[in-house]
Amino acid sequence: MSNRPHAPPPHIIGLDGREVDLLHWMYSRPDIKQIRGNPEKVIAAIDEYHDKHNKLMNIGDVKGPTMLDIIAQRKPSLMIELGGYVGYSALLFGNALKAHGGKLLSIEVNPEMAAVANQLVELAGLREHVQIMVGASNEVLEELVREKKQIKEIELIFLDHWQKLYLPDLWLLEELGVLVPGKTMLVADNVIMPGAPDYLEWVKATPEEKKKLLEKADVGGRRPKPELIYETIVPEFDTDFGKDGLAITKVL
Ligand code: SAM
């Protein structure tokens, strides 16, 4: 039997140990004392690890600035992230949210990744502005909205977990009634590469087009709200992994 009987299935992430290696590398740096408590330095060190050692699935320094502009403009009191990985985007967003006293709730299904992210959040001194929750996005969202009633409306949400889950999770948010016209913004990463065609089709469609799509769609028990009106733009970027885009959607 494997000595890791509880390890996650490989589709969640190709676990080859690089994320834990990042922590060892970070804490063995001679400048660790100067890095501690400084989010920009922790982020720069993760960029250095990505450039010189192993590639990480971080939002990176090409798409990151667009998210920082959105946070600076909208100043959400609570931002949600689906898919935290090692916490790179959580550090970037948490640091930006700190400027106006906002918070980030980052949902990560893999406890190993969440542990790495938590440690880096601690190192950066962003504990008060970033909370990492372990669990599957749909389960955590349902719990926070239905059971704990902790979230009543979504100001800004960043979808960066698994492209196949973007649309079912958007349908869940529609069903939960937390998408508020004139208030909510959704940003989905990697919509060109690897791509999220069904999600893009939905957020670009009119209510009439969405009703037609639903005639053929398998909604898997969800109750989408096709009457919501979305406005979506997809800026494109040249990243380390090729051309990619962010789908930025306003609920009108
Ligand atoms: N947002 C991170 C950043 O830019 O630094 C990168 C996230 S990485 C592309 C995707 C992450 O989503 C992985 O850590 C994976 O374990 C997680 N994930 C996959 N399915 C998930 C789910 N259903 N709920 C929450 N997290 C999930």
Side-chain angles (χ1 to χ4, degrees), residues 12 57-59 81 83-85 88-89 108-109 137 160-161 165:
I12 289 187
M57 302 186 288
N58 305 326
I59 184 168
E81 168 177 74
Y85 191 45
Y88 182 97
S89 52
E108 169 55 52
V109 73
S137 49
D160 192 19
H161 49 339
L165 294 178

Side-chain angles (χ1 to χ4, degrees), residues 8-9 11-14 19 46 56-60 63 81-93 106-111 113-114 133-140 158-163 165-166 169 189-190:
H11 78 264
I12 289 187
I13 183 176
E19 295 80 12
I46 303 175
L56 299 165
M57 302 186 288
N58 305 326
I59 184 168
K63 289 179 273 178
E81 168 177 74
L82 308 184
Y85 191 45
V86 296
Y88 182 97
S89 52
L91 295 169
L92 200 65
F93 304 161
S106 176
I107 302 171
E108 169 55 52
V109 73
N110 184 336
M113 298 308 122
M133 290 189 74
V134 181
S137 49
N138 61 327
E139 290 171 14
V140 176
F158 182 60
L159 292 86
D160 192 19
H161 49 339
W162 191 24
Q163 288 75 45
L165 294 178
Y166 287 6
D169 280 357
D189 195 8
N190 306 122

Side-chain angles (χ1 to χ4, degrees), residues 8-232:
H11 78 264
I12 289 187
I13 183 176
L15 280 173
D16 67 357
R18 67 182 63 193
E19 295 80 12
V20 175
D21 185 61
L22 164 69
L23 272 191
H24 286 288
W25 175 85
M26 185 73 77
Y27 280 92
S28 62
R29 287 179 65 107
D31 60 349
I32 185 68
K33 281 191 184 148
Q34 287 76 52
I35 285 180
R36 195 179 292 283
N38 187 322
E40 282 96 357
K41 286 191 174 162
V42 179
I43 291 165
I46 303 175
D47 280 331
E48 188 184 329
Y49 182 89
H50 172 93
D51 291 338
K52 294 192 185 157
H53 301 282
N54 290 307
K55 295 284 177 233
L56 299 165
M57 302 186 288
N58 305 326
I59 184 168
D61 50 10
V62 179
K63 289 179 273 178
T66 299
M67 287 309 298
L68 296 186
D69 286 346
I70 290 173
I71 293 170
Q73 278 165 21
R74 302 185 80 86
K75 297 189 175 41
S77 53
L78 179 68
M79 174 176 177
I80 295 174
E81 168 177 74
L82 308 184
Y85 191 45
V86 296
Y88 182 97
S89 52
L91 295 169
L92 200 65
F93 304 161
N95 194 35
L97 291 159
K98 185 179 166 185
H100 64 268
K103 285 192 176 168
L104 175 78
L105 187 68
S106 176
I107 302 171
E108 169 55 52
V109 73
N110 184 336
E112 211 164 338
M113 298 308 122
V116 173
N118 251 321
Q119 198 53 50
L120 294 176
V121 166
E122 186 69 35
L123 177 66
L126 284 174
R127 172 67 53 230
E128 282 179 29
H129 296 279
V130 179
Q131 184 186 357
I132 315 275
M133 290 189 74
V134 181
S137 49
N138 61 327
E139 290 171 14
V140 176
L141 286 169
E142 288 213 59
E143 185 188 346
L144 291 172
V145 177
R146 288 211 168 103
E147 292 163 37
K148 296 192 173 154
K149 308 211 183 306
Q150 212 170 308
I151 296 176
K152 294 201 168 51
E153 40 187 49
I154 302 241
E155 296 166 79
L156 178 60
I157 183 163
F158 182 60
L159 292 86
D160 192 19
H161 49 339
W162 191 24
Q163 288 75 45
K164 284 196 173 135
L165 294 178
Y166 287 6
L167 186 56
D169 280 357
L170 173 57
W171 284 341
L172 171 64
L173 295 170
E174 292 180 355
E175 174 182 332
L176 291 171
V178 289
L179 302 181
V180 186
K183 184 162 196 177
T184 303
M185 177 174 275
L186 305 119
V187 183
D189 195 8
N190 306 122
V191 294
I192 294 177
M193 204 210 37
D198 57 348
Y199 176 87
L200 271 187
E201 185 177 37
W202 186 262
V203 291
K204 285 180 168 180
T206 63
E208 289 67 33
E209 289 167 338
K210 285 189 274 182
K211 280 175 199 154
K212 282 230 169 68
L213 287 172
L214 284 178
E215 288 169 14
K216 287 182 263 166
D218 174 8
V219 296
R222 297 265 75 99
R223 279 172 297 176
K225 288 210 180 103
E227 62 276 16
L228 284 169
I229 302 170
Y230 296 138
E231 180 186 85
T232 299

